Amino acid sequence: MTHPLIANPETYYQDEDYLSNSSLSNFVSFDVFGNPTYNIHEFLHPSRKDSSAILIWQLSDKILTEGFNLDDEYGPTLDKTGMQNELDMMGIEFKKADTNPVLRSLLEKGWYQFKKELGKTERDAIESIIRTANQFQYDENTTLMEYIAESDCQKICVSEDWGMKGKFDFLNRKRGHISDLKTTWNLERVLKEMFYKGQPNIYHKYIRQLAIYQELFYLESGEKMQCELIFIDYKGHHCVKRIGQRALDKALEQVRQDIEVLKKIYAGDMPYIQVIDIDEETAAAIDSHTTPVMEVVAPEEDKKEPDYLITY
């Protein structure tokens, strides 16, 4: 029987019954050593993300994977001159002194069909991404558009047992690849975050995402696909980064640990706020006044202002 999220993809992003890479990214973050910090509040009440970047990504994805025509649904933001021009073409009278709300009201009364407005910055970024995609050589024999044509697009996998869901852009059965498209304003910066000394940072959300996708598809089909990220930035830069199995396996281990922590917090088996107390040995040291009970801070360190006191 087809899973409801697969049968009705429109509900995928509204679903809250299954974990995803995005929800786990809200729950856990990592320091430079890979130590996790868990934030249940951010998991339950995620901060608002950059809506402009999300819109660019969503529309670029729809154009490349679903054949969506941007102009069918989105038009330019109409300024005063734009609305006056539309009224002129419709033969509707207006005054030069009319304000934007008045002009808009006149257009609405004339049954003008307003499209969703898309700012110039967002439109320029999307058009740059699509232009790059059409010029992108996926490998020595295949363009990106040919690769996309070979692939199943917007593949959804759901695991009831694992409680996870994933939706990846391209499943290429012919080549045995899972590919996810990433659009970004600065490709160089993203790659610096993803790789350290030439090796994948297994704690990066994109690496973890691929590990989740690979495991979800394996649980569904019994096949282990190679995984990669296809990057295009707003300035026309692009690349394909395929991630090796050892990195994906280590990333998946951490993902499983994070899910177990989340389950324990929900079950009450792990207190979110840890109680820190002294042990018997430390208590005896305090009583004796002969054993150090605190770290000696170097004078130059003592003069530094604690991080939490620094203001900007």
Side-chain angles (χ1 to χ4, degrees):
M1 181 177 176
T2 304
H3 191 279
L5 287 184
I6 299 173
N8 185 12
E10 296 295 324
T11 63
Y12 179 86
Y13 292 108
Q14 286 73 49
D15 166 74
E16 295 181 351
D17 294 332
Y18 294 88
L19 290 171
S20 66
N21 178 65
S22 296
S23 59
L24 278 180
S25 294
N26 293 329
F27 176 58
V28 61
S29 58
F30 300 92
D31 65 17
V32 294
F33 302 103
N35 298 307
T37 297
Y38 298 107
N39 189 334
I40 194 69
H41 183 272
E42 185 66 18
F43 175 75
L44 296 172
H45 309 284
S47 303
R48 290 189 64 184
K49 302 295 191 294
D50 181 353
S51 58
S52 176
I54 290 174
L55 182 63
I56 291 168
W57 159 66
Q58 288 176 335
L59 292 178
S60 299
D61 251 24
K62 284 184 71 174
I63 292 168
L64 291 172
T65 64
E66 301 175 24
F68 175 71
N69 187 334
L70 191 64
D71 293 328
D72 287 347
E73 193 170 323
Y74 287 85
T77 301
L78 283 178
D79 58 12
K80 187 169 187 176
T81 301
M83 287 190 281
Q84 289 173 340
N85 290 339
E86 293 294 338
L87 287 167
D88 267 337
M89 287 189 288
M90 295 171 70
I92 298 175
E93 293 185 2
F94 62 90
K95 299 174 184 175
K96 287 189 177 181
D98 286 343
T99 62
N100 283 2
V102 171
L103 294 172
R104 190 176 185 91
S105 176
L106 289 171
L107 283 169
E108 289 171 346
K109 288 176 182 176
W111 302 101
Y112 179 81
Q113 295 296 314
F114 281 96
K115 294 182 178 179
K116 293 179 184 177
E117 293 185 347
L118 187 64
K120 185 177 185 305
T121 300
E122 288 78 12
R123 181 176 284 275
D124 287 349
I126 293 167
E127 289 177 351
S128 174
I129 289 166
I130 303 308
R131 188 164 52 250
T132 301
N134 280 284
Q135 299 168 351
F136 193 153
Q137 194 72 22
Y138 172 78
D139 62 21
E140 61 272 20
N141 300 313
T142 315
T143 66
L144 177 61
M145 301 310 291
E146 288 171 337
Y147 178 80
I148 291 173
E150 292 177 0
S151 306
D152 297 334
C153 297
Q154 299 293 334
K155 168 68 175 173
I156 295 175
C157 290
V158 184
S159 171
E160 294 277 359
D161 294 337
W162 199 19
M164 291 287 296
K165 65 178 180 179
K167 183 179 184 181
F168 43 95
D169 291 314
F170 311 117
L171 172 66
N172 193 302
R173 298 176 189 273
K174 175 182 175 181
R175 301 169 189 247
H177 292 175
I178 289 171
S179 309
D180 208 51
L181 176 67
K182 300 297 181 188
T183 59
T184 176
W185 70 274
N186 189 324
L187 178 55
E188 184 179 0
R189 178 176 174 178
V190 173
L191 295 180
K192 283 181 178 179
E193 294 172 351
M194 274 188 58
F195 299 96
Y196 180 66
K197 294 185 176 179
Q199 298 190 43
N201 168 12
I202 68 157
Y203 304 104
H204 193 279
K205 61 183 180 180
Y206 292 166
I207 309 288
R208 286 161 58 89
Q209 186 175 29
L210 288 182
I212 291 169
Y213 288 170
Q214 185 187 63
E215 182 67 4
L216 282 170
F217 188 71
Y218 175 73
L219 292 173
E220 177 182 287
S221 68
E223 296 180 73
K224 203 128 215 178
M225 297 284 201
Q226 289 187 330
C227 294
E228 64 190 16
L229 295 159
I230 299 172
F231 288 101
I232 303 177
D233 75 9
Y234 304 172
K235 300 174 184 177
H237 305 121
H238 58 82
C239 65
V240 178
K241 294 293 181 183
R242 194 164 299 151
I243 307 302
Q245 194 56 50
R246 188 178 295 135
L248 294 174
D249 289 343
K250 294 303 292 183
L252 187 62
E253 284 179 21
Q254 183 64 53
V255 166
R256 291 191 183 280
Q257 290 178 32
D258 300 335
I259 293 172
E260 286 307 307
V261 170
L262 184 59
K263 287 179 178 178
K264 287 178 180 177
I265 291 174
Y266 264 86
D269 297 332
M270 177 183 287
Y272 186 63
I273 299 176
Q274 183 182 4
V275 177
I276 303 172
D277 205 346
I278 57 173
D279 55 26
E280 291 183 11
E281 185 180 345
T282 305
I286 291 171
D287 292 339
S288 72
H289 296 285
T290 58
T291 305
V293 293
M294 68 183 74
E295 184 178 353
V296 177
V297 180
E300 61 273 14
E301 290 294 321
D302 194 33
K303 291 176 185 177
K304 288 183 179 178
E305 216 175 12
D307 288 345
Y308 57 83
L309 293 181
I310 295 174
T311 57
Y312 296 91

